[in-house]
Short mmCIF file of all heavy atoms in Angstrom, two decimals:
data_model
loop_
_atom_site.label_atom_id
_atom_site.label_comp_id
_atom_site.label_asym_id
_atom_site.label_seq_id
_atom_site.Cartn_x
_atom_site.Cartn_y
_atom_site.Cartn_z
N LYS X 124 11.34 -6.23 -11.29
CA LYS X 124 10.31 -5.68 -12.16
C LYS X 124 9.75 -6.80 -13.04
O LYS X 124 10.42 -7.78 -13.34
CB LYS X 124 10.89 -4.58 -13.06
CG LYS X 124 11.13 -3.26 -12.34
CD LYS X 124 9.83 -2.56 -11.97
CE LYS X 124 10.06 -1.19 -11.38
NZ LYS X 124 8.78 -0.54 -11.00
N SER X 125 8.51 -6.61 -13.44
CA SER X 125 7.82 -7.56 -14.31
C SER X 125 8.18 -7.25 -15.75
O SER X 125 7.77 -6.24 -16.31
CB SER X 125 6.31 -7.45 -14.09
OG SER X 125 5.60 -8.30 -14.96
N SER X 126 8.97 -8.12 -16.39
CA SER X 126 9.48 -7.84 -17.74
C SER X 126 8.60 -8.38 -18.85
O SER X 126 8.43 -7.72 -19.88
CB SER X 126 10.89 -8.41 -17.90
OG SER X 126 11.86 -7.56 -17.34
N ALA X 127 8.04 -9.58 -18.69
CA ALA X 127 7.27 -10.18 -19.77
C ALA X 127 6.49 -11.37 -19.22
O ALA X 127 6.89 -11.98 -18.23
CB ALA X 127 8.18 -10.64 -20.91
N VAL X 128 5.39 -11.70 -19.88
CA VAL X 128 4.62 -12.89 -19.52
C VAL X 128 4.04 -13.48 -20.80
O VAL X 128 3.68 -12.76 -21.73
CB VAL X 128 3.51 -12.55 -18.49
CG1 VAL X 128 2.51 -11.55 -19.05
CG2 VAL X 128 2.80 -13.80 -18.00
N LEU X 129 3.99 -14.82 -20.85
CA LEU X 129 3.51 -15.51 -22.05
C LEU X 129 2.80 -16.79 -21.64
O LEU X 129 3.26 -17.51 -20.74
CB LEU X 129 4.69 -15.83 -22.97
CG LEU X 129 4.35 -16.43 -24.35
CD1 LEU X 129 3.60 -15.41 -25.20
CD2 LEU X 129 5.62 -16.87 -25.06
N SER X 130 1.68 -17.07 -22.31
CA SER X 130 0.95 -18.32 -22.08
C SER X 130 1.12 -19.24 -23.29
O SER X 130 0.86 -18.83 -24.43
CB SER X 130 -0.54 -18.04 -21.87
OG SER X 130 -1.26 -19.24 -21.74
N ILE X 131 1.57 -20.46 -23.02
CA ILE X 131 1.68 -21.49 -24.07
C ILE X 131 1.22 -22.82 -23.49
O ILE X 131 1.75 -23.28 -22.47
CB ILE X 131 3.12 -21.62 -24.60
CG1 ILE X 131 3.59 -20.32 -25.26
CG2 ILE X 131 3.21 -22.77 -25.59
CD1 ILE X 131 5.00 -20.38 -25.78
N ASP X 132 0.19 -23.40 -24.12
CA ASP X 132 -0.32 -24.71 -23.71
C ASP X 132 -0.66 -24.76 -22.23
O ASP X 132 -0.37 -25.75 -21.55
CB ASP X 132 0.69 -25.81 -24.07
CG ASP X 132 0.06 -27.20 -24.07
OD1 ASP X 132 -1.18 -27.28 -24.25
OD2 ASP X 132 0.79 -28.17 -23.87
N GLY X 133 -1.26 -23.69 -21.72
CA GLY X 133 -1.73 -23.67 -20.34
C GLY X 133 -0.67 -23.33 -19.31
O GLY X 133 -0.99 -23.20 -18.11
N THR X 134 0.57 -23.18 -19.71
CA THR X 134 1.63 -22.79 -18.78
C THR X 134 1.93 -21.30 -18.96
O THR X 134 2.05 -20.82 -20.09
CB THR X 134 2.91 -23.60 -19.04
OG1 THR X 134 2.66 -24.97 -18.75
CG2 THR X 134 4.05 -23.11 -18.15
N LEU X 135 2.04 -20.59 -17.83
CA LEU X 135 2.45 -19.19 -17.86
C LEU X 135 3.95 -19.10 -17.62
O LEU X 135 4.48 -19.72 -16.69
CB LEU X 135 1.70 -18.39 -16.79
CG LEU X 135 0.20 -18.22 -16.99
CD1 LEU X 135 -0.39 -17.44 -15.81
CD2 LEU X 135 -0.11 -17.51 -18.29
N TYR X 136 4.61 -18.33 -18.47
CA TYR X 136 6.03 -18.04 -18.33
C TYR X 136 6.15 -16.56 -17.98
O TYR X 136 5.80 -15.69 -18.79
CB TYR X 136 6.78 -18.34 -19.63
CG TYR X 136 6.68 -19.79 -20.06
CD1 TYR X 136 5.63 -20.24 -20.85
CD2 TYR X 136 7.65 -20.71 -19.67
CE1 TYR X 136 5.54 -21.56 -21.25
CE2 TYR X 136 7.57 -22.04 -20.07
CZ TYR X 136 6.51 -22.46 -20.85
OH TYR X 136 6.42 -23.77 -21.24
N TRP X 137 6.63 -16.27 -16.79
CA TRP X 137 6.74 -14.89 -16.31
C TRP X 137 8.22 -14.55 -16.17
O TRP X 137 8.93 -15.19 -15.39
CB TRP X 137 6.02 -14.73 -14.98
CG TRP X 137 5.91 -13.32 -14.46
CD1 TRP X 137 6.10 -12.16 -15.16
CD2 TRP X 137 5.58 -12.93 -13.13
NE1 TRP X 137 5.89 -11.07 -14.34
CE2 TRP X 137 5.57 -11.52 -13.09
CE3 TRP X 137 5.27 -13.64 -11.97
CZ2 TRP X 137 5.28 -10.80 -11.92
CZ3 TRP X 137 4.99 -12.94 -10.80
CH2 TRP X 137 4.98 -11.53 -10.78
N ILE X 138 8.69 -13.58 -16.95
CA ILE X 138 10.07 -13.12 -16.83
C ILE X 138 10.10 -11.95 -15.86
O ILE X 138 9.38 -10.95 -16.03
CB ILE X 138 10.65 -12.68 -18.18
CG1 ILE X 138 10.61 -13.83 -19.19
CG2 ILE X 138 12.10 -12.20 -18.00
CD1 ILE X 138 11.21 -13.49 -20.55
N VAL X 139 10.92 -12.08 -14.83
CA VAL X 139 11.13 -10.98 -13.89
C VAL X 139 12.61 -10.60 -13.93
O VAL X 139 13.48 -11.44 -14.15
CB VAL X 139 10.69 -11.33 -12.46
CG1 VAL X 139 9.18 -11.53 -12.40
CG2 VAL X 139 11.40 -12.56 -11.95
N SER X 140 12.88 -9.33 -13.73
CA SER X 140 14.24 -8.80 -13.80
C SER X 140 14.60 -8.13 -12.49
O SER X 140 13.80 -7.37 -11.92
CB SER X 140 14.35 -7.76 -14.92
OG SER X 140 14.07 -8.31 -16.18
#
Side-chain angles (χ1 to χ4, degrees):
K124 284 290 186 181
S125 177
S126 279
V128 61
L129 186 66
S130 176
I131 298 179
D132 197 24
T134 295
L135 293 178
Y136 299 88
W137 187 17
I138 302 182
V139 294
S140 299

